[in-house]
Amino acid sequence: MSNTRTIMWFRQDLRLQDNPALANAVACGEILPLYILDDVNPGEWKMGAASRWWLHESLSSLNESLGNKLWVLKGDPALLLPEFIAAHAITNIVWNRGYEPWQVNRDIQLKTNLSELCAVDSFNGAMLWEPWTNLKGDGTPYRVFTPYYKNSIKTPPERTIVNVKPQAIDICECTQPANKIDSLDLIPPVQWHLSLAQHWQPGEAGAFVQLEKFIDDGLANYKTGRDFPSLNTVSRLSPHLHFGEISPNQVWLTAMGQSANAPEHEIEHFQRELAWREFSYYLLYHFPSIPNQNLHSQFDRFPWLEDPQSLQRWQAGETGFPLVDAGMRELWQTGYMHNRVRMIVGSFLVKNMLNHWLDGARWFWDCLVDADLASNSAGWQWVAGSGADASPYFRVFNPHTQSLKFDGAGEYIKKYVPELKGLSGKDLHDPSSAPAIVLAGAGITLDKDYPRAMLDLKQTRERALEAYATIRKPKIS
Ligand SMILES: Cc1cc2nc3c(=O)[nH]c(=O)nc-3n(C[C@H](O)[C@H](O)[C@H](O)COP(=O)(O)OP(=O)(O)OC[C@H]3O[C@@H](n4cnc5c(N)ncnc54)[C@H](O)[C@@H]3O)c2cc1C
């Protein structure tokens, strides 16, 4: 064994298996596993409350897998690492690359500075295709998903799985106190996380349980089932992927190996959705301002409305539109929202309410356990129509029609809006139009037990289209 001591700097790769940086460090000799909570460099996009709870749990799980030898620090890595390297006689540092603009900037600088102190190396542990690969013939990035994807899959995902045997990992002792992870203060002061904890098992083991569950129950009917929020056919792997408790390679290859259990087109459709994650990272890398700025700049002139009271009703799931309210309450109670419902609540906020998409992105950022700067920014810009390959602005989702189509029996609505469970059929999807006698029979008084619809769908749709027409006209200066 050589005399190396390598910092394995864990970031969004909180796993032991298929972790290229870890495998490299282990092959070199002794490792010192380290996590740094960096709230300095992300600025406005530092981790939200639900993500912090998840991180707390995930770090605890990783620490356990490492025999309680994970080091944790809090602060700016540029200040912490040089001191740490000197104090622990470090010869090497490795990490898996991050792609958020603040990470890219930070890491470029760090690589230069730390190279003067020890050997530095970085790896791809988070992507099937790193964002700088896969450009168009003219060297510019794709803006539309389908050609991006068609071109991507011509080359299979970049790397093979790299596993390490846990008993082969030589870890130096950690002298930090037992409450080291608690000292990061990740748990929210209100007891909100208790509700989140009922729905998830953060950590590498939990990610594999979730993957297996999906393979057994969801994959074979993924393509159609994924549109129905009451069905268990989506993977719910997004927070595990975000924190790197499982790699996209592991998910992609496991799905690919299921042809005996699921039709080929279902597997392919799932892989295509995984590629949407890749595309979001690709967009964030090539257009780093998308978390805050419209990708299509004509939206800078869009006449958004500011109405804090309506925004608060949307956040609380009190709009009077059952599917929208069910989605917003699912988000609050579980830290997750089904993809179709994300699109519907998003369209409602930006098109029916004419509220800027950034308010939606910020609320999601704080509440989602899978909050991810790439997918959240791309998702909101898609919904708003301001992004790459976006939903056309004139496509305004009608929450009643969507509700009847994708939650016809109202199972999803009744789960999250239980005060409506006495209603059925069209009345359940649109209680504000239900006859008084029906509402009385179900024990519902509008605005007392459940809010009256906060807006008129037809009028607000027309208003949205008029607003859109104003930004399509050439700017008069
Ligand atoms: C307004 C809005 C905001 C969003 N914010 C986020 C976010 O913060 N974090 C996040 O991970 N996803 C986000 N998404 C994308 C998508 O809703 C979630 O990835 C998906 O619902 C996660 O559930 P799942 O793991 O069961 O997905 P599955 O259907 O099982 O898909 C498997 C994986 O593919 C990826 N994926 C699927 N659909 C998309 C998509 N449209 N865009 C990007 N990746 C996708 C995810 O990694 C997901 O875990 C957002 C979508 C919208 C419309």
Side-chain angles (χ1 to χ4, degrees), residues 31-141:
I31 70 156
L32 189 154
L34 170 68
Y35 182 85
I36 303 175
L37 177 65
D38 181 357
D39 281 337
V40 180
N41 289 289
E44 177 190 359
W45 297 107
K46 73 177 191 191
M47 233 177 282
S51 302
R52 282 173 188 270
W53 164 76
W54 187 288
L55 177 64
H56 181 276
E57 299 299 311
S58 193
L59 287 177
S60 305
S61 158
L62 180 68
N63 182 43
E64 206 180 311
S65 308
L66 292 167
N68 199 25
K69 291 176 183 167
L70 178 69
W71 288 76
V72 291
L73 300 175
K74 187 176 184 173
D76 186 351
L79 300 177
L80 295 170
L81 280 171
E83 212 175 291
F84 195 80
I85 286 169
H88 295 272
I90 298 299
T91 56
N92 304 43
I93 178 167
V94 292
W95 63 75
N96 290 308
R97 286 184 281 276
Y99 307 90
E100 299 183 10
W102 64 268
Q103 285 173 328
V104 174
N105 295 336
R106 181 194 67 182
D107 293 351
I108 289 173
Q109 196 60 50
L110 270 176
K111 225 173 192 176
T112 311
N113 296 348
L114 298 181
S115 301
E116 291 174 12
L117 308 174
C118 65
V120 186
D121 215 346
S122 69
F123 299 83
N124 168 18
M127 304 311 305
L128 297 168
W129 301 279
E130 285 195 294
W132 45 85
T133 60
N134 208 354
L135 299 173
K136 287 195 286 188
D138 63 2
T140 60

Side-chain angles (χ1 to χ4, degrees), residues 222 235-238 273 277 336 339 342 370 372 376:
Y222 178 76
S235 71
R236 295 169 69 91
L237 281 169
S238 47
E273 292 307 314
R277 173 180 175 275
Y336 174 90
N339 180 61
R342 291 186 204 207
D370 67 17
D372 181 281
N376 199 41

Side-chain angles (χ1 to χ4, degrees), residues 2 10 34 40 144 151 169 171 238 257 263 278 318 380 391 412 430 448 465:
S2 64
F10 284 100
L34 170 68
V40 180
V144 178
N151 198 46
I169 311 180
I171 316 175
S238 47
E278 301 284 316
E318 297 283 342
W380 276 99
S391 152
Y412 177 74
D430 182 10
K448 179 170 163 274
L465 297 181

Side-chain angles (χ1 to χ4, degrees), residues 414-433:
K414 287 181 186 174
K415 184 168 176 190
Y416 292 105
V417 193
E419 61 268 38
L420 297 180
K421 62 178 182 286
L423 294 176
S424 60
K426 189 178 163 298
D427 300 326
L428 172 65
H429 300 279
D430 182 10
S432 297
S433 307

Side-chain angles (χ1 to χ4, degrees), residues 13 37 57 88 90 106 115 121 154 162 210 235 252 262 277 349 359 361 364 366 394-395 437 452:
D13 52 350
L37 177 65
E57 299 299 311
H88 295 272
I90 298 299
R106 181 194 67 182
S115 301
D121 215 346
K154 280 189 205 152
V162 283
Q210 194 58 43
S235 71
W252 178 279
R277 173 180 175 275
L349 182 79
D359 286 323
F364 271 32
D366 206 33
F394 54 80
R395 192 171 299 151
I437 189 166
R452 202 178 294 275

Side-chain angles (χ1 to χ4, degrees), residues 214 222 226 233-239 241-242 270 273-278 280 336-340 342-343 346 364-365 368 370-373 375-380 382-383:
F214 169 64
Y222 178 76
R226 66 183 286 275
T233 52
V234 287
S235 71
R236 295 169 69 91
L237 281 169
S238 47
L241 281 164
H242 171 77
F270 178 65
E273 292 307 314
L274 283 175
W276 270 101
R277 173 180 175 275
E278 301 284 316
S280 303
Y336 174 90
M337 192 192 299
H338 187 277
N339 180 61
R340 174 144 294 273
R342 291 186 204 207
M343 296 192 290
F364 271 32
W365 185 255
L368 280 172
D370 67 17
D372 181 281
L373 198 62
S375 300
N376 199 41
S377 309
W380 276 99
W382 183 91
V383 164

Side-chain angles (χ1 to χ4, degrees), residues 126-280:
M127 304 311 305
L128 297 168
W129 301 279
E130 285 195 294
W132 45 85
T133 60
N134 208 354
L135 299 173
K136 287 195 286 188
D138 63 2
T140 60
Y142 289 97
R143 284 169 167 252
V144 178
F145 174 76
T146 302
Y148 160 82
Y149 182 53
K150 276 192 181 150
N151 198 46
S152 299
I153 51 168
K154 280 189 205 152
T155 36
E158 266 178 359
R159 58 181 190 84
T160 48
I161 300 277
V162 283
N163 284 337
V164 289
K165 290 198 179 80
Q167 61 274 24
I169 311 180
D170 177 16
I171 316 175
C172 60
E173 285 304 317
C174 175
T175 54
Q176 287 186 313
N179 70 346
K180 60 191 173 185
I181 295 174
D182 295 341
S183 70
L184 295 177
D185 270 337
L186 291 164
I187 298 288
V190 279
Q191 300 283 294
W192 174 37
H193 60 287
L194 299 180
S195 156
L196 304 182
Q198 290 170 18
H199 302 275
W200 302 99
Q201 185 190 339
E204 188 169 11
F208 276 91
V209 170
Q210 194 58 43
L211 176 61
E212 271 173 35
K213 199 163 169 287
F214 169 64
I215 297 293
D216 290 346
D217 304 339
L219 183 61
N221 186 30
Y222 178 76
K223 190 173 178 203
T224 319
R226 66 183 286 275
D227 272 326
F228 295 84
S230 68
L231 297 183
N232 255 341
T233 52
V234 287
S235 71
R236 295 169 69 91
L237 281 169
S238 47
H240 299 289
L241 281 164
H242 171 77
F243 284 97
E245 298 165 353
I246 194 164
S247 73
N249 283 38
Q250 289 168 311
V251 179
W252 178 279
L253 292 174
T254 306
M256 214 163 94
Q258 299 305 314
S259 47
N261 307 318
E264 214 53 57
H265 67 272
E266 301 286 346
I267 296 172
E268 277 167 21
H269 200 91
F270 178 65
Q271 290 177 320
R272 194 182 159 87
E273 292 307 314
L274 283 175
W276 270 101
R277 173 180 175 275
E278 301 284 316
F279 187 54
S280 303

